[in-house]
Amino acid sequence: MGSRSSHAALIPDADHIRRETGFSQASLLRLYHRFRALDRNQKGYLSRVDLQQIGALAVNPLGDRIIDSFFPDGSQRVDFSGFARVLAHFRPVDEEDSRIQDLKQPEPLNSRMNKLRFAFQLYDLDRDGKISRNEMLQVLRLMVGVQVTEEQLESIADRTVQEADEDGDGAVSFLEFTKSLEKMNIEQKMSIRILK
Amino acid sequence: MLRAALPLLGLPMAGAGTTAEPTQESVSRDEPPPGLELFRWQWHEVEAPYLVALWILVASLAKIVFHLSRKVTSLVPESCLLILLGLVLGGIVLAVAKKAEYQLEPGTFFLFLLPPIVLDSGYFMPSRLFFDNLGAILTYAVVGTLWNAFTTGVALWGLQQAGLVAPRVQAGLLDFLLFGSLISAVDPVAVLAVFEEVHVNETLFIIVFGESLLNDAVTVVLYKVCNSFVEMGSANVQATDYLKGIASLFVVSLGGAAVGLVFAFLLALTTRFTKRVRIIEPLLVFLLAYAAYLTAEMASLSAILAVTMCGLGCKKYVEANISHKSRTAVKYTMKTLASCAETVIFMLLGISAVDSSKWAWDSGLVLGTLFFILFFRALGVVLQTWVLNQFRLVPLDKIDQVVMSYGGLRGAVAFALVILLDRTKVPAKDYFVATTIVVVFFTVIVQGLTIKPLVKWLKVKRSEHHKPTLNQELHEHTFDHILAAVEDVVGHHGYHYWRDRWEQFDKKYLSQLLMRRSAYRIRDQIWDVYYRLNIRDAISFVDQGGHILSSAGLTLPSMPSRNSVAETSVTNLLRESGSGACLDLQVIDTVRSGRDREDAAMHHLLCGGLYKPRRRYKASCGRHFISEDAQERQDKEVFQQNMKRRLESFKSTKHNICFTKSKPRLRKAGHKKKDGVANAEATNGKPPRDLGFQDTAAVILTVESEEESDSSETEKEDDEGIIFVARATSEVLQEGKVSGSLEVCPSPRIIPPSPTCAEKELPWKSGQGDLAVYVSSETTKIVPVDMQTGWNQSISSLESLASPPCTQAPTLTRLPPHPLGIEEPQVPPDLSSDPRSSFAFPPSLAKAGRSRSESSADIPQQQELQPLMGHKDHTHLSPGTANSHWCIQFNRGSRL
């Protein structure tokens, strides 16, 4: 993919995407090549199938959910700007971002909150803004090995929800989710270096 | 005699007897024994081990003395104190013996003192952190060490050329390079000793410490290469030798790591098959790790790297395979050995320094070396960090760099290496020795003393410990998967990608191969955290003193100390009940419904102010009706829920409850049924005969009232069943144990068809909100039999814990014989199949029993009973007990 001519000019709407995502020119270019490589029929967008082709994603327990997050609102295709926008969540946070943040109106996509929101929506299947016990259980089922029995899973799910649940509604809201992770260095844990 | 007694004063050390030995031997050989000796002094026979033991004893005593004063140890690192102590001891020896005989022997150091420290650090190395920073660690270890060695060596040579080093130091460039190579390596022992007390943040620690471990390979290679070059003479060194030197770097490091990994694999595989010989598990860990060290040493590979990799590689599997007891044993032995070795090393370092015959002073060399190692270390760190930061997600900032530069402590490795030099080949050895001693002392004492204030002053991020929560653990895993997936999408196969791959490989093949099946399950990290949280809860719960819980595999050694608790055993209940009774626990649950009502009232009270957990098991109710198993699982869950809630809600109430059971023993109990009457008799004191027990299946329930029990035994180490003791509230039981049991009669009709129903039907359990949660202490202490499984499951995790110090609460003291806690839900079905496991209890006999027990001199003995709940007993007990027959299953106690 790198052999193709690598000019930022090729990327449609490059400036706008850069402004929105904060990617550097080089990263954006890299992503664009990747996008083109994934887009097997050069149709200009990616479909679910395109992403499912990625080998290791199939074995990733959360692979399906992550693919889903590229297709918000049930759409079946994602263009480059959407692709870049999702990946922008994983751009490392640097000092510039935090400085600019006050001036700029929207929060950058790679802010702590947005990183967390991305993770949150992987849990929150029905998009009701809450991780119910059932949703927790489903994630746990994906993550925890087969060797843990179903009832153990359930008790783990119970406990997990209970632990984070503060208002006692039996579900974890986004606020509670953030709170349960407030000690964790999300900026660091949810960043990939090459996406600068 | 006098000479022999000298070591007893702690003065001489290993090898002390070399002078005394021959004379004593000759004496004993020359004189024919004058008949039978009443007393013989055989110092020389025990000398060597005796001295070693004394040596360690002195070091340990010194450690104790240091720690008597908190102020001193908080200011001065222990390593400094030990070195100073060594200086003092060495001075005394010098004064007494007129010559310094003892020093850190390189052989002893490398073969005995170093391995435990390295093993300890490798085994307990936070592997995730280590691999997360592996790039940085390797850079500093390899590039940094090479840089330090060459620059220091060359700079010293330059110093000599400039005439700042006295001409009597006869050393060429190669000698200085050799010296540079041994003095440049950051020492793991010193770093560990100092940094452990400083508590900088984990990343910083792992980088400095990881570097100190991994640079061993580089040090060894550099040292050996330079040493052989020096011995060959610089004229004879050819180009191929340099190439060989570079190649040997790879051979030594990769070879060492490979040896370590092979032994890690062997170790993990071996521990998979130690189920029946648990006792040798800790030994295996040490043996194989040591074998790895020796093997690497034998092949002149990097032994430190080998042991580090061995510890790092095997830990996960070994920990999963070996029993809890073994795990504790391994941990403590390892820590003890390491701390012992460390203590001895520092003390010997101090002592060695006294021996002035070994070294020769040259101010130029010493000062030059000190300056250069500090300067080049700092320069190297800055340069490398600058490069590394281009690639690091979290850059290392300036403060980190300062600490890293300053934390480059030199230690015993350098000293041992310099002692190993051959004076005929390296004429400047004495100067090098002196310089090394000064450098080591300077870094350990001066830098060790100042690094703590420095860290404070620079406001270096400290490590913060917070308890892991399930959420964090789960989300962290999620993040890992997300990142791996995103790397996939981006098409960049970076660290996360490979880590994910590795984990999949590990899960699929390695873990299957290296872990025993039963251990495989608990291996999951999320489950592991859950499990540990449960333990913590249970412990804190017990520590609160309000409720007394013990669990699978816990004996009741603490019971006697709980002086407020007396028992009314089930047998008492039974006796009091008069009528034929089914003494299933389930029955008792409702039997004491009078008290239950009180508890319900209490519950309502408490519900007002206390945490109101939600009732979640409802959701699962719908899922599991299909089979009996499913039903059981549901019960289990319900029970777990209840217990969890109770843990949360009733820490401060007065109800005391104690459950003990040992599921693993169930099977045994099943076998023991066949032993018949005699057993029951013996355990129970007299009652069995009176009561006409014919069989000994499983259950003894002890319900304790608040009466004082002065029983002092109950220190069974192996309880064989479920001891299940409940303590009623004082109001209820004011009349003593009898009152409670008297209620046995009226209640049978309330007994619900199944425990689950009981959960739902009992008044205080029916409400969704406040009422739902609560199981009164009375009801819970009398847990329906099938819920015991759930209880077991949720509590079995306790098994590994040491006893909390609390005296009032029962202490959880004993590890269970098998670490099977987690697997317990699968209960051996053979119990239920035994037709003899239940029987009807004639009323008259019960009465007889009661009269007997009222004179309860045998209470203590009853405590010893080995109650055990047949898991499926309820299946053949008529659950309703409407027939007012009380079924009892007694198991014989372990102590007959």
Side-chain angles (χ1 to χ4, degrees):
Chain A
M1 52 180 172
S3 59
R4 244 170 275 148
S5 79
S6 51
H7 253 292
L10 286 177
I11 307 171
D13 216 5
D15 284 342
H16 179 248
I17 297 175
R18 274 198 62 194
R19 227 176 300 125
E20 190 180 11
T21 60
F23 280 128
S24 69
Q25 191 89 19
S27 312
L28 203 63
L29 206 59
R30 178 211 286 269
L31 287 182
Y32 187 62
H33 286 315
R34 178 65 178 169
F35 180 81
R36 295 271 299 271
L38 290 174
D39 177 11
R40 281 175 310 153
N41 304 326
Q42 311 300 322
K43 48 195 183 298
Y45 61 87
L46 293 182
S47 66
R48 243 167 244 271
V49 185
D50 288 327
L51 288 179
Q52 278 156 2
Q53 294 298 321
I54 305 173
L57 213 51
V59 281
N60 194 316
L62 294 176
D64 280 341
R65 294 181 179 219
I66 287 160
I67 290 176
D68 283 344
S69 62
F70 280 94
F71 303 95
D73 314 320
S75 63
Q76 289 307 310
R77 50 180 66 180
V78 56
D79 60 0
F80 180 64
S81 73
F83 183 73
R85 214 178 299 126
V86 173
L87 294 177
H89 287 103
F90 301 96
R91 194 167 63 85
V93 186
D94 36 299
E95 290 108 47
E96 293 166 36
D97 288 323
S98 45
R99 249 180 274 139
I100 297 169
Q101 200 182 330
D102 314 316
L103 313 172
K104 274 189 173 174
Q105 55 291 44
E107 223 179 349
L109 282 169
N110 64 345
S111 70
R112 180 189 173 93
M113 274 302 158
N114 277 325
K115 283 176 195 291
L116 280 173
R117 196 161 283 133
F118 183 88
F120 184 79
Q121 49 96 10
L122 291 186
Y123 291 87
D124 184 19
L125 282 186
D126 57 8
R127 309 275 148 118
D128 65 347
K130 278 178 179 180
I131 305 172
S132 67
R133 175 186 179 278
N134 235 332
E135 284 163 345
M136 191 67 89
L137 190 61
Q138 285 181 40
V139 174
L140 277 167
R141 208 172 282 143
L142 290 173
M143 309 266 302
V144 177
V146 267
Q147 61 271 24
V148 175
T149 59
E150 183 68 22
E151 66 263 35
Q152 285 168 335
L153 268 186
E154 279 171 22
S155 46
I156 297 178
D158 280 334
R159 178 147 191 155
T160 315
V161 173
Q162 207 167 352
E163 197 179 81
D165 185 14
E166 285 181 344
D167 56 9
D169 61 352
V172 182
S173 68
F174 182 62
L175 203 70
E176 288 160 349
F177 182 77
T178 18
K179 260 206 178 137
S180 71
L181 290 174
E182 66 188 349
K183 284 198 187 114
M184 208 188 270
N185 191 346
I186 303 298
E187 291 88 342
Q188 186 183 332
K189 287 230 155 84
M190 284 281 277
S191 298
I192 292 181
R193 190 185 53 81
I194 52 141
L195 290 178
K196 265 230 154 82
Chain B
M1 198 75 148
L2 227 168
R3 226 184 271 159
L6 206 61
L8 291 173
L9 302 173
L11 300 178
M13 296 80 209
T18 39
T19 50
E21 213 168 312
T23 46
Q24 282 194 346
E25 267 177 45
S26 63
V27 165
S28 55
R29 237 178 266 136
D30 293 344
E31 290 173 14
L36 184 68
E37 283 178 274
L38 260 183
F39 183 78
R40 249 182 97 205
W41 191 259
Q42 298 184 325
W43 163 247
H44 59 279
E45 284 176 22
V46 295
E47 183 187 347
Y50 205 109
L51 284 175
V52 171
L54 270 180
W55 213 181
I56 296 172
L57 181 67
V58 170
S60 310
L61 288 179
K63 230 175 171 165
I64 296 175
V65 172
F66 296 153
H67 282 276
L68 284 181
S69 162
R70 194 172 279 263
K71 208 183 261 172
V72 172
T73 42
S74 69
L75 285 176
V76 187
E78 207 180 78
S79 46
C80 296
L81 290 170
L82 283 167
I83 281 199
L84 294 176
L85 174 80
L87 277 176
V88 172
L89 284 182
I92 295 173
V93 173
L94 198 64
V96 171
K98 300 292 179 222
K99 61 177 195 151
E101 296 176 62
Y102 317 108
Q103 67 164 6
L104 193 56
E105 298 288 342
T108 319
F109 173 72
F110 282 117
L111 287 184
F112 302 111
L113 293 175
L114 193 54
I117 298 175
V118 179
L119 176 61
D120 173 64
S121 47
Y123 193 76
F124 293 105
M125 174 104 70
S127 54
R128 177 72 196 267
L129 206 58
F130 179 76
F131 285 112
D132 280 355
N133 294 292
L134 189 62
I137 293 172
L138 278 177
T139 311
Y140 290 119
V142 178
V143 181
T145 310
L146 286 174
W147 159 267
N148 283 347
F150 280 110
T151 49
T152 311
V154 171
L156 283 175
W157 181 70
L159 204 67
Q160 192 205 31
Q161 299 298 33
L164 290 173
V165 177
R168 58 177 186 276
V169 180
Q170 303 165 354
L173 177 59
L174 265 180
D175 299 80
F176 278 118
L177 281 178
L178 174 61
F179 179 61
S181 73
L182 66 86
I183 202 75
S184 63
V186 177
D187 183 68
V189 184
V191 165
L192 204 63
V194 169
F195 271 70
E196 261 185 352
E197 301 180 22
V198 177
H199 305 298
V200 295
N201 63 72
E202 293 110 335
T203 317
L204 200 52
F205 174 76
I206 203 79
I207 287 179
V208 177
F209 179 55
E211 176 199 343
S212 72
L213 277 177
L214 296 195
N215 68 15
D216 173 67
V218 182
T219 313
V220 167
V221 171
L222 272 180
Y223 178 79
K224 280 185 182 151
V225 168
C226 290
N227 205 10
S228 51
F229 283 2
V230 167
E231 286 178 2
M232 286 157 63
S234 51
N236 304 327
V237 179
Q238 288 161 2
T240 47
D241 291 323
Y242 290 107
L243 289 179
K244 274 187 203 160
I246 294 170
S248 71
L249 177 61
F250 291 97
V251 172
V252 166
S253 55
L254 297 180
V259 166
L261 289 178
V262 166
F263 275 92
F265 182 84
L266 287 179
L267 176 52
L269 200 63
T270 320
T271 51
R272 204 188 147 171
F273 303 105
T274 51
K275 195 169 182 182
R276 313 247 161 115
V277 274
R278 293 281 193 200
I279 202 73
I280 64 161
E281 280 171 344
L283 185 67
L284 273 178
V285 175
F286 291 103
L287 272 185
L288 277 165
Y290 194 48
Y293 187 91
L294 293 180
T295 310
E297 191 75 51
M298 183 178 70
S300 50
L301 304 171
S302 166
I304 292 187
L305 209 55
V307 172
T308 308
M309 294 312 280
C310 183
L312 204 58
C314 74
K315 185 184 185 199
K316 179 174 163 190
Y317 311 106
V318 168
E319 292 273 281
N321 280 338
I322 63 180
S323 69
H324 273 294
K325 273 179 180 172
S326 303
R327 227 173 291 172
T328 317
V330 166
K331 184 175 171 188
Y332 273 87
T333 317
M334 221 175 253
K335 293 278 176 208
T336 308
L337 284 178
S339 129
C340 214
E342 190 187 287
T343 313
V344 170
I345 285 174
F346 281 117
M347 202 151 96
L348 279 174
L349 263 181
I351 288 173
S352 311
V354 175
D355 184 6
S356 59
S357 67
K358 289 253 167 68
W359 47 271
W361 182 272
D362 181 78
S363 309
L365 186 65
V366 169
L367 292 178
T369 310
L370 265 185
F371 172 75
F372 287 138
I373 61 160
L374 287 175
F375 174 73
F376 286 120
R377 165 86 186 167
L379 190 63
V381 164
V382 170
L383 290 178
Q384 290 172 77
T385 312
W386 182 80
V387 176
L388 277 174
N389 276 348
Q390 310 297 313
F391 301 100
R392 277 182 71 86
L393 181 61
V394 191
L396 295 161
D397 58 18
K398 290 208 177 61
I399 292 176
D400 290 341
Q401 293 175 35
V402 171
V403 175
M404 278 164 59
S405 313
Y406 203 67
L409 307 178
R410 296 352 188 233
V413 172
F415 181 78
L417 287 178
V418 82
I419 292 290
L420 276 178
L421 289 178
D422 184 354
R423 191 179 314 207
T424 56
K425 302 280 167 50
V426 188
K429 181 188 173 187
D430 289 352
Y431 294 99
F432 289 157
V433 171
T435 313
T436 308
I437 288 176
V438 172
V439 167
V440 169
F441 274 46
F442 178 83
T443 54
V444 171
I445 295 179
V446 177
Q447 287 179 258
L449 270 174
T450 47
I451 198 164
K452 221 172 187 175
L454 182 78
V455 163
K456 243 181 229 159
W457 181 66
L458 289 174
K459 298 195 178 67
V460 178
K461 262 185 282 168
R462 300 298 191 93
S463 62
E464 36 187 70
H465 282 287
H466 43 259
K467 292 168 188 164
T469 63
L470 263 181
N471 276 282
Q472 277 183 14
E473 186 68 25
L474 172 66
H475 301 326
E476 217 161 317
H477 279 260
T478 316
F479 295 156
D480 287 345
H481 286 305
I482 292 174
L483 288 191
V486 171
E487 280 198 349
D488 269 338
V489 171
V490 177
H492 169 84
H493 289 179
Y495 172 68
H496 298 286
Y497 173 82
W498 290 112
R499 212 179 47 72
D500 208 56
R501 293 254 102 163
W502 164 255
E503 271 179 11
Q504 267 158 20
F505 171 76
D506 173 63
K507 207 171 205 166
K508 247 189 196 157
Y509 305 105
L510 267 187
S511 294
Q512 304 268 11
L513 181 65
L514 296 179
M515 283 188 196
R516 52 178 74 141
R517 222 152 263 280
S518 54
Y520 187 57
R521 175 196 295 163
I522 54 169
R523 197 193 62 90
D524 193 276
Q525 282 157 312
I526 297 177
W527 169 252
D528 201 49
V529 170
Y530 173 70
Y531 172 90
R532 267 183 279 145
L533 283 174
N534 269 352
I535 293 175
R536 215 180 59 207
D537 275 0
I539 286 189
S540 64
F541 181 70
V542 171
D543 276 343
Q544 300 283 329
H547 298 253
I548 297 163
L549 300 172
S550 36
S551 71
L554 294 176
T555 36
L556 301 172
S558 55
M559 298 273 286
S561 65
R562 254 184 301 124
N563 46 14
S564 61
V565 177
E567 333 75 59
T568 311
S569 72
V570 168
T571 45
N572 283 355
L573 269 180
L574 199 74
R575 290 172 210 126
E576 262 108 45
S577 73
S579 65
C582 167
L583 226 152
D584 174 17
L585 288 181
Q586 199 178 326
V587 174
I588 295 183
D589 182 10
T590 34
V591 152
R592 311 181 71 180
S593 60
R595 281 201 239 153
D596 286 351
R597 275 191 290 280
E598 294 228 30
D599 284 328
M602 172 64 94
H603 160 74
H604 287 297
L605 241 165
L606 291 171
C607 274
L610 284 175
Y611 170 67
K612 298 172 190 169
R614 291 158 304 285
R615 188 186 178 92
R616 287 221 187 64
Y617 50 83
K618 280 223 159 171
S620 67
C621 285
R623 272 209 292 287
H624 308 284
F625 317 101
I626 307 116
S627 63
E628 198 187 354
D629 268 343
Q631 173 74 24
E632 267 172 33
R633 263 193 283 149
Q634 185 185 341
D635 292 341
K636 220 180 288 166
E637 188 182 316
V638 169
F639 183 73
Q640 270 175 315
Q641 297 293 331
N642 285 333
M643 284 324 297
K644 209 187 293 165
R645 285 182 195 119
R646 281 169 36 72
L647 287 171
E648 282 157 2
S649 353
F650 296 106
K651 286 178 178 167
S652 55
T653 54
K654 282 177 70 191
H655 306 271
N656 287 336
I657 295 165
C658 174
F659 296 66
T660 302
K661 42 182 157 163
S662 161
K663 264 294 173 61
R665 295 295 180 138
L666 270 178
R667 205 163 299 169
K668 233 184 192 170
H671 295 307
K672 287 200 174 165
K673 281 181 236 163
K674 287 156 201 151
D675 295 352
V677 192
N679 302 331
E681 204 174 309
T683 5
N684 218 4
K686 315 164 233 171
R689 200 174 346 182
D690 299 342
L691 296 172
F693 287 160
Q694 301 163 4
D695 209 342
T696 56
V699 181
I700 282 181
L701 161 79
T702 312
V703 180
E704 298 192 349
S705 78
E706 254 177 61
E707 224 174 82
E708 171 117 8
S709 133
D710 56 349
S711 57
S712 57
E713 70 294 38
T714 41
E715 303 241 337
K716 299 159 295 175
E717 278 307 303
D718 276 41
D719 55 336
E720 298 218 322
I722 301 157
I723 293 176
F724 182 87
V725 183
R727 185 173 144 207
T729 49
S730 48
E731 316 93 270
V732 179
L733 278 184
Q734 226 116 41
E735 320 91 342
K737 59 192 174 222
V738 185
S739 68
S741 23
L742 281 176
E743 296 166 14
V744 167
C745 295
S747 38
R749 57 197 134 94
I750 318 172
I751 290 165
S754 86
T756 328
C757 289
E759 286 295 310
K760 292 170 190 156
E761 287 172 12
L762 289 175
W764 54 88
K765 290 173 188 161
S766 53
Q768 170 70 22
D770 49 350
L771 289 180
V773 187
Y774 178 72
V775 182
S776 75
S777 66
E778 294 294 334
T779 39
T780 15
K781 77 189 161 213
I782 300 157
V783 185
V785 173
D786 48 355
M787 290 195 171
Q788 296 291 336
T789 25
W791 167 255
N792 254 5
Q793 193 187 14
S794 63
I795 289 292
S796 60
S797 44
L798 276 171
E799 64 182 39
S800 68
L801 295 164
S803 52
C806 175
T807 45
Q808 289 189 332
T811 43
L812 312 173
T813 41
R814 204 181 56 81
L815 300 176
H818 321 296
L820 297 176
I822 313 98
E823 315 155 28
E824 279 169 22
Q826 283 79 32
V827 178
D830 53 332
L831 274 185
S832 56
S833 58
D834 193 323
R836 295 195 295 162
S837 59
S838 66
F839 65 97
F841 206 121
S844 54
L845 290 176
K847 249 174 202 162
R850 181 220 288 171
S851 58
R852 214 210 86 264
S853 76
E854 263 154 9
S855 62
S856 56
D858 53 333
I859 284 178
Q861 283 164 329
Q862 287 162 9
Q863 250 186 347
E864 283 190 68
L865 290 180
Q866 299 296 306
L868 187 58
M869 301 215 171
H871 169 58
K872 289 190 173 174
D873 287 345
H874 65 286
T875 52
H876 37 179
L877 299 178
S878 63
T881 8
N883 53 7
S884 81
H885 271 283
W886 296 69
C887 302
I888 297 188
Q889 300 170 336
F890 276 81
N891 172 40
R892 75 159 176 164
S894 65
R895 204 205 266 181
L896 300 177

